[in-house]
Amino acid sequence: SFSAISSHDSNAECSGTEVTWEVTFHALARQNFWQAVTESSISDAVENLASYLSEPILFTEKTTIQTTASPDSLAKQWFEFVWRSGGGLPLPLPPFALSKNGYERILIPPFLRERVLDIKDTQECSDIIYTVDNPSLAQLHTHLGRVRLQSSSDGSVDMIWEVSVRPLRNRESFARAFIQTVVRILARNFKSHVEQPGETVNVYAPRGTGKEKGPLFRVAKDSWVGGVMDAHRKDERSVSEQAKDLFRPWRWGFDDDERNLSWGIGEITMGEEK
């Protein structure tokens, strides 16, 4: 037989909650085995609950886009290029719309179901707020994102992309790497899409062999491959330094300048303040 009692007690001194889980059972055989199974199961359950209730981690990236378009016009372009068309990510299929307005979509793979919650336009900025309905496929408990497009004092538009997530237990390192890589790729591709529409990157044989005969083929600059090839073309590092990145694909197409991105703790603020 088996019975269990769980209770919690708010502790004002530490601003937290103390959980007490008591279990009583009688085993006909293998007492030590079932005791170990019970201890392990309860320990896992409590630690999973703690990760689910923890403060979310918050990723922020700021991208400046040189354009004369208004924030609401850019928001429409973002929705069409990034949300509906996939934003140049290296996926075998474009996103599949699950609703008539295109607000709900599924990415195949990894079969993530994403949904736009709201699109807000004001004189100062436009916000696109979205979520993931099955975040566990990305090793997350919760996922909330916001893309804010706001006019800058120099006439350009700043795109501030925020993602607030609660990773599954022991999955924070993966979540950080995955989110940062995907958002940086999409932000870079969208910037190219707006600033250099229709631009392509020439692809040549290794070491420029046969370059005089022309490129082997061309790829869109606002795609992942185009961004990687364009960055490689401009890379002035030594061959040995470039070779190190062969084993770090999450760095392909990016330099070491990370001043416009940050990680912190907290929710995305949904108030009216801009």
Side-chain angles (χ1 to χ4, degrees):
S1 64
F2 181 97
S3 64
I5 300 175
S6 65
S7 62
H8 69 275
D9 180 38
S10 297
N11 188 332
E13 293 183 2
C14 65
S15 300
T17 299
E18 183 177 286
V19 177
T20 302
W21 196 325
E22 300 178 0
V23 176
T24 302
F25 67 91
H26 301 281
L28 298 177
R30 301 180 180 179
Q31 172 82 18
N32 292 336
F33 170 77
W34 290 114
Q35 179 176 335
V37 170
T38 302
E39 290 176 354
S40 177
S41 299
I42 292 177
S43 177
D44 285 345
V46 171
E47 290 183 18
N48 289 339
L49 176 63
S51 68
Y52 177 77
L53 297 175
S54 64
E55 284 287 313
I57 56 176
L58 177 65
F59 175 70
T60 304
E61 170 155 358
K62 178 182 176 181
T63 304
T64 299
I65 302 174
Q66 301 298 331
T67 179
T68 57
S70 61
D72 63 319
S73 174
L74 277 188
K76 293 182 175 65
Q77 291 187 57
W78 185 96
F79 183 80
E80 290 298 324
F81 176 72
V82 175
W83 192 261
R84 297 187 72 116
S85 301
L89 284 177
L91 297 176
L93 297 171
F96 183 77
L98 299 176
S99 60
K100 289 184 178 180
N101 60 6
Y103 276 30
E104 297 180 52
R105 69 175 189 173
I106 185 170
L107 300 178
I108 305 174
F111 299 96
L112 288 175
R113 293 174 60 100
E114 300 182 319
R115 176 164 46 97
V116 171
L117 299 175
D118 197 9
I119 298 179
K120 301 178 180 179
D121 294 321
T122 67
Q123 287 186 332
E124 297 82 15
C125 69
S126 292
D127 284 352
I128 303 168
I129 304 165
Y130 66 95
T131 188
V132 177
D133 289 331
N134 55 346
S136 61
L137 291 181
Q139 305 298 300
L140 304 170
H141 289 298
T142 62
H143 181 293
L144 183 67
R146 177 177 63 189
V147 177
R148 171 166 289 176
L149 296 144
Q150 60 186 26
S151 299
S152 180
S153 57
D154 63 0
S156 60
V157 174
D158 290 331
M159 179 172 65
I160 302 171
W161 197 322
E162 297 174 298
V163 180
S164 176
V165 298
R166 289 182 176 86
L168 297 182
R169 182 166 59 98
N170 300 326
R171 295 295 186 272
E172 182 172 332
S173 295
F174 169 82
R176 284 175 178 263
F178 178 76
I179 291 167
Q180 181 169 314
T181 300
V182 171
V183 170
R184 293 188 76 188
I185 291 172
L186 291 174
R188 180 194 65 200
N189 291 351
F190 183 63
K191 178 180 172 71
S192 295
H193 179 75
V194 174
E195 293 184 349
Q196 300 170 298
E199 187 79 10
T200 60
V201 178
N202 295 333
V203 179
Y204 299 94
R207 315 306 301 172
T209 304
K211 191 173 183 178
E212 67 281 356
K213 298 180 181 179
L216 298 176
F217 56 91
R218 294 180 175 86
V219 293
K221 188 177 180 181
D222 60 8
S223 66
W224 176 75
V225 175
V228 170
M229 299 306 299
D230 184 59
H232 177 68
R233 181 181 60 180
K234 299 174 182 177
D235 195 345
E236 297 179 351
R237 296 177 301 165
S238 65
V239 174
S240 61
E241 289 180 322
Q242 293 183 38
K244 294 178 182 178
D245 281 348
L246 288 175
F247 305 98
R248 298 183 293 181
W250 59 89
R251 288 173 49 86
W252 294 355
F254 300 111
D255 54 30
D256 294 323
D257 186 359
E258 297 185 348
R259 290 174 295 177
N260 291 326
L261 58 90
S262 64
W263 281 97
I265 303 294
E267 304 269 6
I268 293 176
T269 304
M270 292 299 179
E272 293 299 322
E273 265 188 40
K274 305 299 179 194

